[in-house]
């Protein structure tokens, strides 16, 4: 019943995190369920749009995206419930959520657990870029600077944590790129249609 989106399997493959609107309505909360069971644990309870859960490498925490007036950003919560905390304010908009939610992921947790890659923009008139957020210092570094109309989404760390793959949307096409996490030249791998 209702809409369920952005499923994410825990590192041990025992739990599934997902976004659900509870059966109806415009608000989405995060839920976790043990694989093979019917019961779900509700993690978030705000009147917000919570989506795109990603597990920490040790499986103890979940980072997620939230869109809500005055509190939009990246949050982290213990995987089995507890106090959530916002680690980064973002510029995501509710209307943008409904336009790109179905196609683009926003977050990726680094294999060493020390940073999050995310897609955002610093101004509503510019395309989205990929940024790196240090979870120790909460400092942010821009990794990409696209020129296209849509921008960069779906960041995913390589298993060794040295490279990020991402989608770049521009002029009706979506391509796959990579970029070194340490900084450097982007490389286009596949040109989309």
């Amino acid at each position: 019943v209702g809409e369920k989106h952005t499923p994410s399997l825990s590192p041990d493959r025992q739990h599934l995190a997902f976004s659900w609107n509870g059966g109806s309505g415009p608000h989405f909360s995060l839920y976790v369920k043990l694989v093979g069971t019917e019961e779900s644990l509700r993690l978030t309870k705000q009147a917000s749009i919570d989506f795109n859960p990603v597990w920490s490498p040790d499986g103890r925490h979940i980072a997620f995206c939230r869109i809500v007036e005055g509190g939009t950003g990246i949050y982290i919560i213990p995987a089995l419930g507890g106090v959530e905390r916002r680690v980064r304010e973002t510029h995501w908009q509710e209307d943008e959520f409904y336009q790109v939610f179905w196609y683009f992921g926003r977050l990726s947790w680094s294999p060493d657990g020390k940073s999050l890659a995310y897609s955002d923009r610093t101004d509503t008139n510019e395309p989205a870029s990929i940024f790196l957020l240090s979870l120790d210092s909460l400092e942010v570094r821009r990794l990409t600077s696209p020129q296209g109309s849509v921008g960069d989404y779906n960041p995913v760390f390589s298993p060794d944590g040295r490279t990020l793959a991402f989608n770049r949307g521009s002029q009706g096409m979506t391509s796959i790129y990579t970029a070194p996490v340490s900084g450097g030249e982007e490389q286009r791998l596949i040109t989309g249609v």
Side-chain angles (χ1 to χ4, degrees):
V1 177
E3 297 180 45
K4 296 175 184 167
H5 301 288
T6 59
S8 178
L9 199 57
S10 63
D12 66 5
R13 302 187 181 281
Q14 298 299 308
H15 293 88
L16 183 72
F18 58 96
S19 179
W20 181 33
N21 71 346
S24 65
H27 301 127
F28 286 81
S29 297
L30 291 188
Y31 291 79
V32 170
K33 70 178 289 182
L34 184 63
V35 173
T37 66
E38 291 301 316
E39 294 298 314
S40 297
L41 171 67
R42 184 174 178 181
L43 294 183
T44 62
K45 298 174 179 155
Q46 303 296 319
S48 57
I49 299 170
D50 297 344
F51 63 105
N52 196 197
V54 294
W55 294 81
S56 62
D58 63 9
R60 295 176 56 203
H61 294 88
I62 295 174
F64 65 96
C65 304
R66 171 173 286 162
I67 297 175
V68 66
E69 189 173 341
T72 295
I74 300 169
Y75 288 73
I76 295 178
I77 192 168
L80 296 179
V83 178
E84 62 188 41
R85 65 185 175 101
R86 184 166 70 168
V87 294
R88 181 69 185 168
E89 181 180 349
T90 62
H91 293 86
W92 304 325
Q93 303 292 320
E94 187 170 345
D95 61 337
E96 180 187 33
F97 165 81
Y98 289 106
Q99 291 170 7
V100 302
F101 172 72
W102 317 110
Y103 307 106
F104 300 117
R106 299 279 186 173
L107 298 176
S108 183
W109 208 314
S110 65
D112 65 6
K114 294 183 178 181
S115 59
L116 286 168
Y118 67 99
S119 174
D120 195 16
R121 52 179 50 97
T122 56
D123 182 272
T124 56
N125 297 321
E126 72 177 26
S129 297
I130 303 298
F131 295 84
L132 293 175
L133 170 65
S134 165
L135 294 174
D136 291 332
S137 67
L138 299 183
E139 290 181 9
V140 171
R141 180 169 52 91
R142 183 191 295 257
L143 189 66
T144 69
S145 298
Q147 304 301 315
S149 58
V150 178
D152 298 341
Y153 295 92
N154 289 334
V156 178
F157 280 95
S158 61
D160 65 7
R162 295 181 181 175
T163 305
L164 264 175
F166 58 94
N167 287 120
R168 174 165 290 164
S170 177
Q171 300 169 344
M173 293 185 4
T174 300
S175 300
I176 298 174
Y177 281 74
T178 61
V181 171
S182 60
E185 192 171 328
E186 301 164 3
Q187 191 171 35
R188 185 169 58 202
L189 299 181
I190 298 172
T191 301
V193 286

